[in-house]
């Protein structure tokens, strides 16, 4: 599954891979700087700073229309959203400017190679998504009666696991509701985890959020079925009812749009 739990912390697979890769880069360059050439440390600091800034800047530029409507999200880095080709270009530029000796060049190549290897290992270990079928469980519909998720098969389905006490869920919910209302090619199911009907209705009414398909998962059967940790989690399910991809944590408008495009393409 595309998430890893470490004690109370939950990391999406791609983010954990990035953290491990950056950690490996910093550790290796620290060792090489102290034992091989101090200039490697100066290069690595500027390469890391420039890489992260330009990766975020590149993502914003690639999604200008989306960020123009909500410019504050440029700083919402917790949602993810980095363009690594931009980062690679900036690292190359920093290297051209600062790498002047053979030792520094060797240190740069070794540290980047080890960082990329560490990133790739974690990515490969966490990137697999099992083709899990929809669970055959009856969930209470907020409009009354029981509904099974399998009743929505035949059309791509997006399942958002959420709760009103969860801050990231509350942040992403208005955007999710907006996208769900605008799409008729995908069915959105908002599966609440363990809350009472009155609590859910109170939250939606207070925030003036309208959702078409709200299901109550009182026993948290759905996350157990898919083995997903934490909230929020967004599941992307194909027309055959099998899981295609998972997004763990708060999802951005760009990430949702990209996942929907891949879901419809498959």
């Amino acid at each position: 599954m595309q998430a890893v739990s470490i004690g109370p912390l939950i990391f999406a697979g791609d983010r954990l891979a990035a953290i491990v890769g950056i950690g490996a880069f910093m550790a290796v360059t620290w060792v090489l700087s102290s034992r091989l050439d101090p200039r490697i440390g100066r290069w690595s600091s500027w390469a890391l700073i420039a890489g992260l800034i330009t990766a975020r800047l590149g993502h914003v530029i690639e999604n200008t229309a989306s960020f123009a409507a909500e410019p504050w999200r440029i700083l919402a880095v917790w949602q993810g959203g980095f363009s690594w080709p931009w980062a690679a270009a900036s690292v190359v530029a920093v290297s051209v400017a600062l790498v002047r000796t053979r030792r520094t060049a060797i240190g740069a190549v070794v540290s980047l190679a080890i960082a990329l290897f560490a990133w790739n290992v974690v990515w490969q270990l966490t990137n697999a998504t099992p083709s899990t079928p929809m669970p055959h469980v009856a969930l209470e519909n907020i409009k009354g009666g029981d509904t099974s998720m399998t009743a929505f098969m035949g059309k791509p389905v997006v399942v958002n696991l959420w709760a009103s006490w969860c801050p990231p869920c509350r942040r992403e919910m208005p955007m999710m509701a907006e996208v769900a209302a605008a799409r008729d090619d995908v069915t959105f199911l908002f599966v609440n985890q363990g809350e009472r009907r009155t609590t859910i209705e109170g939250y939606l009414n207070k925030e003036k959020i309208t959702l078409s398909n709200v299901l109550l998962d009182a026993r948290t059967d759905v996350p157990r079925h898919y083995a997903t940790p934490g909230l929020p989690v967004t599941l992307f399910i194909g027309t055959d009812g099998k899981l295609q991809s998972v997004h763990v944590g708060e999802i951005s408008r760009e990430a949702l749009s990209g996942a929907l495009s891949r879901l419809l393409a498959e």
Side-chain angles (χ1 to χ4, degrees):
M1 187 58 65
Q2 297 174 327
V4 176
S5 297
I6 303 176
L9 302 177
I10 299 171
F11 297 93
D14 57 344
R15 298 181 191 185
L16 180 61
I19 291 171
V20 171
I22 291 172
F25 177 77
M26 294 173 64
V28 172
T29 54
W30 179 82
V31 171
L32 293 178
S33 177
S34 61
R35 298 188 179 183
L36 184 64
D37 188 337
R39 284 170 290 195
I40 296 173
R42 178 168 175 260
W43 164 82
S44 66
S45 297
W46 282 108
L48 182 59
I49 293 171
L52 290 175
I53 291 175
T54 55
R56 182 61 178 177
L57 179 62
H59 174 74
V60 171
I61 292 173
E62 291 169 0
N63 298 276
T64 302
S66 178
F67 282 97
E70 301 170 295
W72 65 269
R73 287 199 307 109
I74 293 174
L75 300 179
V77 294
W78 60 84
Q79 292 183 338
F82 294 88
S83 179
W84 300 116
W86 287 67
S90 67
V91 170
V92 169
V94 169
S95 299
V96 170
L98 298 181
V99 175
R100 299 296 185 184
T101 67
R102 185 168 178 268
R103 284 189 172 188
T104 309
I106 292 173
V109 171
V110 169
S111 57
L112 286 172
I114 293 176
L116 288 172
F117 176 77
W119 167 84
N120 185 61
V121 169
V122 177
W123 172 254
Q124 294 297 331
L125 291 174
T126 60
N127 190 44
T129 300
S131 299
T132 308
M134 279 185 172
H136 292 279
V137 294
L139 302 176
E140 182 183 356
N141 194 310
I142 200 169
K143 296 179 181 178
D146 291 340
T147 303
S148 173
M149 286 173 54
T150 56
F152 298 93
M153 286 179 59
K155 196 175 186 180
V157 177
V158 175
V159 179
N160 182 248
L161 307 180
W162 69 287
S164 64
W165 52 260
C166 161
C169 303
R170 296 171 69 95
R171 286 196 300 264
E172 72 179 10
M173 186 59 71
M175 181 274 294
M176 294 283 286
E178 177 189 334
V179 174
R183 305 288 298 242
D184 57 7
D185 52 350
V186 178
T187 299
F188 280 76
L189 304 180
F190 295 90
V191 182
N192 181 273
Q193 298 300 297
E195 293 187 297
R196 296 180 179 180
R197 178 195 295 265
T198 53
T199 301
I200 300 168
E201 291 176 335
Y203 162 70
L204 295 176
N205 291 334
K206 179 182 178 181
E207 300 298 327
K208 297 180 174 58
I209 296 174
T210 300
L211 303 175
S212 56
N213 297 306
V214 179
L215 305 180
L216 283 61
D217 186 7
R219 297 177 301 183
T220 63
D221 289 324
V222 177
R224 280 204 302 271
H225 176 79
Y226 288 106
T228 59
L231 293 175
V233 171
T234 306
L235 311 170
F236 298 88
I237 301 171
T239 54
D240 59 357
K242 293 183 178 181
L243 183 65
Q244 291 193 4
S245 65
V246 180
H247 184 96
V248 177
E250 183 178 350
I251 191 168
S252 67
R253 187 181 297 271
E254 302 77 48
L256 179 60
S257 176
L260 288 174
S261 296
R262 292 189 293 274
L263 179 64
L264 293 171
E266 295 177 2

